[in-house]
Amino acid sequence: MKDSSPNAEEHGGLTIALSKGRILQDALPLLARAGVRPMQDPSRSRKLVLTTNQPDLRLLVVRAQDVPTYVEYGAADIGIAGKDVMMEYRGDGLYEPLDLNIACCRLVVAGRPGTPLGSPRLRVATKYVHTTRRYFAAQGIQAEVIKLYGSMELAPLMGLADVIVDLVDTGNTLRANGLAALAHVADISSQLVVNKAAMKMKHARIKRLIAKLARAVRD
Ligand code: ATP
Ligand code: PRP
């Protein structure tokens, strides 16, 4: 039986990878303003390949951290990924032509108020291991980095780490757990990322979409 979801190369049109949750929620209105509307409701559908009102454009729903991987390997032509994910991603071969100014937040060092950051062998729990190592090395602080996959705020409370490096938006999660931001690492928003080969092979189509999205971001 013919596969109903050809891979990105066979598909010929454009394939955009993005993650469920915040990014999808913020990206859908932006895509709509750029003329792209999914045919199924992504919050209800269990489908991971969504067709859109544009017959040559489809959306893939993947884990946030997997977006750059799909795009680098050409399984998707384009992706929408947080700057936090891109800073942590170790591959290369991706263009980042447009800041979409959605899912905005900050990457911070957080801990109990007053925790000194200069103490020898500071223990830092985070999902962003590479970014955290780079940040503390640039500050001249020796840090032991412990990888966690979520609920980072628990680590200082349970004595697993002195501080965490995590995303903050409203600050509600930090406050609810008696923590505070201690240092700013980076401002975060979502980026459009593009596969380098696709940018050459599908140049006109991708440029048109970037232009429409850039207008949607401005308006
Ligand atoms: P997964 O659950 O699939 O491992 P995730 O928990 O990182 O991924 P989301 O919480 O939806 O997925 O976050 C996706 C992206 O949204 C992040 O990479 C970041 O760029 C942005 N983001 C995360 N938390 C916030 C927040 N509190 N406010 C605004 N943007 C956020
Ligand atoms: C993210 C982040 C913080 C929280 C910050 O978690 O890891 O915990 O949002 O947002 P706030 O400052 O508005 O409270 P998320 O809700 O994505 O849960 P996660 O632990 O699954 O990543």
Side-chain angles (χ1 to χ4, degrees):
M1 202 176 79
K2 174 100 181 72
D3 187 346
S4 60
S5 298
N7 67 35
E9 209 177 313
E10 293 162 358
H11 181 251
L14 288 186
T15 303
I16 305 180
L18 74 182
S19 56
K20 263 205 170 142
R22 289 187 179 87
I23 291 196
L24 188 66
Q25 202 182 307
D26 285 10
L28 285 179
L30 199 62
L31 286 166
R33 291 207 294 281
V36 179
R37 290 176 187 82
M39 301 301 273
Q40 303 85 11
D41 177 353
S43 57
R44 292 181 178 200
S45 171
R46 297 289 299 164
K47 284 184 92 138
L48 300 174
V49 182
L50 304 175
T51 53
T52 70
N53 60 325
Q54 300 196 15
D56 66 341
L57 200 158
R58 61 187 180 165
L59 307 178
L60 303 186
V61 180
V62 305
R63 286 292 290 268
Q65 286 84 353
D66 292 338
V67 168
T69 309
Y70 271 81
V71 177
E72 179 175 347
Y73 286 88
D77 303 300
I78 295 176
I80 297 180
K83 211 181 269 177
D84 52 319
V85 168
M86 297 314 296
M87 284 164 69
E88 192 64 12
Y89 188 62
R90 305 210 95 196
D92 56 12
L94 291 174
Y95 290 123
E96 292 182 37
L98 184 64
D99 186 333
L100 297 173
N101 202 23
I102 56 170
C104 296
C105 52
R106 290 162 293 132
L107 188 66
V108 302
V109 182
R112 290 184 193 276
T115 305
L117 296 183
S119 55
R121 272 237 55 85
L122 186 77
R123 287 225 303 223
V124 189
T126 187
K127 145 161 121 172
Y128 304 100
V129 169
H130 304 304
T131 308
T132 298
R133 287 213 180 98
R134 268 201 312 271
Y135 171 77
F136 281 104
Q139 304 295 313
I141 296 171
Q142 221 196 352
E144 181 185 346
V145 180
I146 301 170
K147 167 89 184 182
L148 288 180
Y149 292 86
S151 300
M152 254 78 73
E153 293 82 1
L154 264 179
L157 302 181
M158 295 300 121
L160 175 63
D162 301 305
V163 293
I164 59 174
V165 168
D166 194 14
L167 299 173
V168 179
D169 178 21
T170 60
N172 287 341
T173 313
L174 288 183
R175 269 192 300 278
N177 292 290
L179 305 178
L182 303 173
H184 180 267
V185 178
D187 286 324
I188 303 297
S189 53
S190 292
Q191 311 293 307
L192 197 71
V193 296
V194 181
N195 173 277
K196 280 193 172 166
M199 188 68 125
K200 279 200 196 114
M201 309 293 290
K202 302 179 181 179
H203 187 70
R205 183 74 180 83
I206 291 178
K207 257 193 93 175
R208 266 203 311 278
L209 181 66
I210 294 174
K212 281 188 187 160
L213 282 169
R215 224 170 296 132
V217 172
R218 276 198 310 271
D219 295 347

